[in-house]
Amino acid sequence: NAGVMQNPRHLVRRRGQEARLRCSPMKGHSHVYWYRQLPEEGLKFMVYLQKENIIDESGMPKERFSAEFPKEGPSILRIQQVVRGDSAAYFCASQNDGGTDTQYFGPGTRLTVL
Amino acid sequence: GQNIDQPTEMTATEGAIVQINCTYQTSGFNGLFWYQQHAGEAPTFLSYNVLDGLEEKGRFSSFLSRSKGYSYLLLKELQMKDSASYLCAPWGSARQLTFGSGTQLTVLP
């Protein structure tokens, strides 16, 4: 059973460009969470999605950030017009269909904005 | 809101036992998770407590007291590879986990 997959593992963007981060949950999991970890800081919740629905986006910056989890394919976290402060590790975690079990984390995408 | 308090750093010797404490305040409570995170890597699940008491899993044990808002992670027979950050994450009324800043454990030979 493959674990949570994220790609790319490393992403370099220049200021003003767009970043797209992808997350494929574990097989059988339909709940996805995105977390951001700034350098030397703890993990901060961004958004919680189920298939085709955003359940909670209270941790997402109001501008430039969006997330989706389509019926088919991976969940995508999109950051438009990136700035240096967006440089961080972005982790997604998946959870089983009941939504009551452990959240398992993917390897993360390390975004560097030049 | 949620508040989580755990020591920033701890140091212990290989073969020893170390206890990492965590106090928390949450809106609602559905359990508490402990994760291990090595530098530059993803958090990996260690334990989940939903009821009061001690959960033992090999060299790792986790304790929970819901009335006191307190948990600890106990690591026995420390190994060098246990050097990592340990994250206490209470699960409140919201689905997402709230993480503290973590406790950076250094195991010395």
Side-chain angles (χ1 to χ4, degrees):
Chain A
N1 186 13
V4 180
M5 299 174 68
Q6 288 187 249
N7 66 82
R9 296 291 302 277
H10 300 274
L11 182 62
V12 178
R13 286 287 178 266
R14 296 192 180 280
R15 281 180 298 171
Q17 291 184 321
E18 178 180 285
R20 282 189 179 230
L21 289 63
R22 287 176 289 277
C23 169
S24 296
M26 291 175 70
K27 186 177 180 180
H29 287 193
S30 62
H31 300 246
V32 167
Y33 302 78
W34 285 93
Y35 295 86
R36 177 166 67 175
Q37 188 170 36
L38 295 168
E40 307 301 323
E41 293 189 15
L43 288 150
K44 303 292 184 191
F45 165 75
M46 299 182 75
V47 62
Y48 164 39
L49 310 104
Q50 293 179 27
K51 283 285 187 181
E52 300 184 275
N53 288 304
I54 297 175
I55 306 302
D56 184 346
E57 57 182 348
S58 59
M60 195 98 97
K62 294 289 185 284
E63 298 177 351
R64 301 189 297 107
F65 285 72
S66 62
E68 63 177 7
F69 190 12
K71 186 176 180 181
E72 301 291 337
S75 174
I76 296 176
L77 179 68
R78 181 182 178 206
I79 311 172
Q80 295 178 290
Q81 299 172 351
V82 295
V83 301
R84 289 220 173 101
D86 296 332
S87 295
Y90 292 83
F91 293 98
C92 80
S94 77
Q95 189 178 50
N96 71 3
D97 287 342
T100 58
D101 207 348
T102 301
Q103 291 184 26
Y104 294 94
F105 283 80
T109 293
R110 277 146 190 85
L111 172 66
T112 301
V113 180
L114 302 176
Chain B
Q2 301 194 117
N3 292 307
I4 302 159
D5 190 31
Q6 47 180 134
T8 304
E9 296 178 333
M10 296 184 72
T11 302
T13 306
E14 195 174 13
I17 298 172
V18 70
Q19 177 174 314
I20 302 174
N21 296 321
C22 171
T23 57
Y24 61 89
Q25 292 176 311
T26 62
S27 299
F29 185 77
N30 288 303
L32 188 139
F33 289 90
W34 282 95
Y35 285 83
Q36 178 193 62
Q37 187 178 26
H38 285 97
E41 298 183 11
T44 55
F45 168 74
L46 290 178
S47 68
Y48 173 54
N49 293 67
V50 64
L51 299 175
D52 288 354
L54 188 68
E55 294 277 344
E56 297 187 79
K57 191 186 293 185
R59 294 190 301 115
F60 294 73
S61 303
S62 56
F63 172 84
L64 175 68
S65 170
R66 289 172 296 174
S67 62
K68 295 181 179 177
Y70 168 69
S71 174
Y72 69 72
L73 181 69
L74 193 71
L75 293 78
K76 304 175 188 174
E77 301 169 15
L78 281 174
Q79 302 175 10
M80 299 297 289
K81 66 179 182 180
D82 297 331
S83 292
S85 183
Y86 291 85
L87 312 176
C88 168
W91 189 15
S93 54
R95 285 288 186 201
Q96 67 269 22
L97 297 176
T98 300
F99 290 89
S101 298
T103 297
Q104 183 61 47
L105 173 66
T106 301
V107 179
L108 301 174

